[in-house]
Amino acid sequence: MPKKKINKKFKYPLELIERLILDINQYKDFLPWCNDSRIVSKKEHGQILEIIADLEIGYSFVKDTYRSIVKYDNNKKIVVVHSIDGPLKKLENIWELEKINDLECEISFFINLELKNFLLNKMLSKMFDVGFDKIVKSFESRAEYLSKLK
């Protein structure tokens, strides 16, 4: 079961990274292997934002959609994601955001992922580090793009 944790400093305001992470509808525009992304519902419970979202992930002729619940604690600046339907046996994804100053923030990112299909899970384990690096770079590139729109 692939797991990974990184800490990364971004030279962008925390608010920009926060919007980037929570704007799931736009994932299809910049995330590798993400063919479609859609927020199904969004509710606020005090300082907690709860999002149900679908992501269609695919490579070549293999495609599948998984549904996840995303909870963002605005006070603690933590995003927690869990899979609730689809090909993932387990998805635990945690983003911890920390403001350094008005122009920089640090992100701690943890992912624990397991597919229901044993063979696909073995393949994922072998490619996980390369795929993970591509995803992190895609978020960095998107942050740069968004920062230039201001």
Side-chain angles (χ1 to χ4, degrees):
M1 173 172 16
K3 290 182 188 179
K4 187 141 187 158
K5 182 172 182 173
I6 64 161
N7 291 316
K8 185 136 186 87
K9 185 176 177 180
F10 282 85
K11 295 183 179 184
Y12 304 105
L14 181 135
E15 296 78 17
L16 184 139
I17 300 300
E18 181 180 64
R19 283 193 317 271
L20 169 59
I21 293 167
L22 296 174
D23 193 4
I24 298 164
N25 283 335
Q26 301 306 310
Y27 282 15
K28 63 185 169 287
D29 296 336
F30 70 93
L31 271 181
W33 311 293
C34 183
N35 299 326
D36 197 16
S37 54
R38 183 174 68 89
I39 292 176
V40 176
S41 68
K42 190 185 268 191
K43 298 175 190 169
E44 289 191 42
H45 308 282
Q47 291 297 312
I48 306 293
L49 174 64
E50 183 179 285
I51 300 171
I52 304 292
D54 288 344
L55 292 185
E56 181 187 280
I57 304 299
Y59 183 77
S60 187
F61 62 89
V62 178
K63 293 180 188 173
D64 214 335
T65 300
Y66 74 91
R67 179 163 286 182
S68 58
I69 185 166
V70 179
K71 292 185 179 182
Y72 178 56
D73 185 323
N74 192 41
N75 281 338
K76 295 180 181 178
K77 302 295 185 197
I78 296 176
V79 179
V80 178
V81 181
H82 290 282
S83 174
I84 54 176
D85 192 27
L88 302 177
K89 182 175 181 180
K90 181 175 192 170
L91 171 64
E92 181 183 22
N93 181 357
I94 301 169
W95 305 75
E96 295 177 359
L97 295 77
E98 183 178 339
K99 184 175 185 172
I100 296 171
N101 57 49
D102 288 343
L103 301 173
E104 299 176 308
C105 63
E106 185 168 0
I107 308 300
S108 174
F109 179 80
F110 170 78
I111 188 165
N112 183 5
L113 177 66
E114 184 177 0
L115 300 173
K116 289 178 183 175
N117 182 302
F118 177 78
L119 291 175
L120 289 176
N121 202 53
K122 285 290 187 192
M123 289 172 49
L124 172 68
S125 294
K126 291 181 182 187
M127 304 179 329
F128 188 73
D129 285 338
V130 171
F132 183 82
D133 291 342
K134 278 184 91 164
I135 289 169
V136 170
K137 285 180 180 147
S138 71
F139 271 97
E140 287 177 305
S141 296
R142 185 65 174 190
E144 181 179 355
Y145 168 78
L146 293 174
S147 71
K148 291 177 181 177
L149 292 179
K150 287 186 168 187

